[in-house]
Amino acid sequence: MTVIVFGSINIDLVATVSRLPLPGETLLGRDFFQAPGGKGANQAVALARLGIPTQMVGRIGADNFGAQLVKSLQASGVQTENVFVDETVSSGVAAIAVDDAGENQIIVIPGANGCVNQDDVERLSRLLPQASALLLQFEIPMSAVVAAARAATEVGVRVILDPAPAQSYVPDELYQLVDIITPNELEASQLVGFSVTGAESAKKAALQLRQRGVKNAIVKLGAQGVVCATSNETFFVPAYPVDAVDTVAAGDAFNGGLAAALSEGLSLHQAAIWGAAAGALAATKPGAQPSLPDRTTFDAFLKERGMMRRLKCEG
């Protein structure tokens, strides 16, 4: 059985500067680099590097960036036969300026990601009978996300939704189709309409998301850990303390670790631990996909830190 990721594929173009430019100002930058990104592609790479058979379904443009992005996915072991090359638009691009304080300015051009439609959902649907889970995010049109979740639910495939980037409006139907939702604090705040800043407010948010129809809600609190609410209980998983360098793909790594554990038949408790471990490891290296751990590194980390660490449970 494979895990399918249906979502965005981007190239990140990053310039470093001493400070961010003012409107109309031209600055000389210091360094430039490009790297593969997109929340969908990041999560696919996170899964594949943990040894899980993974299919990516999405769109790229018929340009050099698109070719680079496919090669990068393949190098990590992701199956890309269902990445469609759209000759009418560019590949998705994020132009990013980062200053010495770590502040940034970002312009995202969705490109092919913004053109994902029912044709892509139909290609996805043909793969679903051989899948154990479908991972979704919000960097493609909402109509495609809902249609994909509906198609997965109809054939009994688990739906895991990372509601990012943050959205204040999500169709009611989508909540009913989701098995596991994994917002961070900002995303949870946008979804529920109140500030989520710690375990207590995260518990309240998770319970509200369940009331909307989600079967299981996991609120990611970064270095504070994660709060999980199921039909039977609410529990807390502490974070793994690490020396964080760059948290850009930590959330995607969490979803990869979570889905990997579930695909191997582990419980939601254990899957949340895997997600926390993968997220922690990703935060110790710069970049998005370059920071995602392979299975050898991941297993060594779990062994060193103790996978069966005691969970603090909340009723």
Side-chain angles (χ1 to χ4, degrees):
M1 302 293 282
T2 64
V3 174
I4 303 173
V5 181
F6 184 59
S8 58
I9 309 169
N10 284 341
I11 193 78
D12 294 341
L13 306 178
V14 184
T16 62
V17 291
S18 59
R19 62 175 178 81
L20 297 177
L22 300 172
E25 183 182 18
T26 298
L27 292 178
L28 289 178
R30 182 170 56 250
D31 296 306
F32 170 80
F33 65 92
Q34 64 184 54
K39 295 195 70 63
N42 291 346
Q43 292 180 19
V45 169
L47 275 158
R49 288 192 183 161
L50 292 178
I52 306 302
T54 306
Q55 286 263 8
M56 182 76 216
V57 181
R59 289 193 178 214
I60 55 172
D63 49 30
N64 289 335
F65 287 151
Q68 292 174 37
L69 290 166
V70 167
K71 285 183 179 179
S72 177
L73 287 167
Q74 292 172 342
S76 293
V78 178
Q79 299 174 54
T80 60
E81 295 86 352
N82 288 282
V83 173
F84 178 72
V85 179
D86 190 332
E87 297 186 355
T88 68
V89 291
S90 69
S91 296
V93 174
I96 306 169
V98 182
D99 70 12
D100 288 343
E103 296 295 330
N104 59 60
Q105 292 176 342
I106 304 175
I107 300 173
V108 176
I109 300 92
N113 297 312
C115 297
V116 172
N117 59 31
Q118 189 60 35
D119 291 340
D120 302 284
V121 175
E122 290 175 4
R123 288 188 292 110
L124 166 69
S125 297
R126 292 192 289 269
L127 303 174
L128 287 171
Q130 288 76 47
S132 62
L134 171 67
L135 273 63
L136 299 168
Q137 318 81 34
F138 284 164
E139 288 186 335
I140 58 175
M142 185 67 74
S143 58
V145 173
V146 174
R150 189 186 304 122
T153 300
E154 288 173 354
V155 295
V157 173
R158 178 188 284 123
V159 176
I160 301 173
L161 172 66
D162 183 2
Q167 305 279 329
S168 58
Y169 170 74
V170 174
D172 291 339
E173 179 189 1
L174 184 56
Y175 290 111
Q176 313 282 330
L177 299 169
V178 171
D179 293 283
I180 305 173
I181 194 169
T182 63
N184 64 20
E185 293 166 289
L186 174 61
E187 294 146 9
S189 299
Q190 290 276 38
L191 293 174
V192 301
F194 58 82
S195 180
V196 177
T197 57
E200 284 303 313
S201 55
K203 176 181 176 180
K204 181 181 176 183
L207 293 173
Q208 184 173 129
L209 291 170
R210 285 206 68 254
Q211 290 172 0
R212 296 183 186 180
V214 173
K215 295 180 180 65
N216 304 282
I218 299 177
V219 180
K220 299 174 289 193
L221 301 172
Q224 298 181 66
V226 297
V227 171
C228 310
T230 74
S231 59
N232 300 317
E233 62 179 336
T234 301
F235 62 90
F236 174 75
V237 174
Y240 287 92
V242 295
D243 294 326
V245 172
D246 183 352
T247 62
V248 66
D252 297 327
F254 179 94
N255 274 47
L258 178 84
L262 293 172
S263 73
E264 295 194 1
L266 300 182
S267 69
L268 188 61
H269 278 194
Q270 293 167 316
I273 291 171
W274 277 38
L281 274 169
T284 64
K285 293 183 178 181
Q289 291 178 24
S291 73
L292 300 171
D294 60 29
R295 187 58 180 261
T296 300
T297 303
F298 180 75
D299 286 347
F301 183 84
L302 283 180
K303 183 177 180 180
E304 176 189 345
R305 303 300 179 97
M307 175 181 170
M308 300 311 294
R309 60 193 297 192
R310 186 177 179 180
L311 299 178
K312 174 184 175 184
C313 296
E314 301 179 354

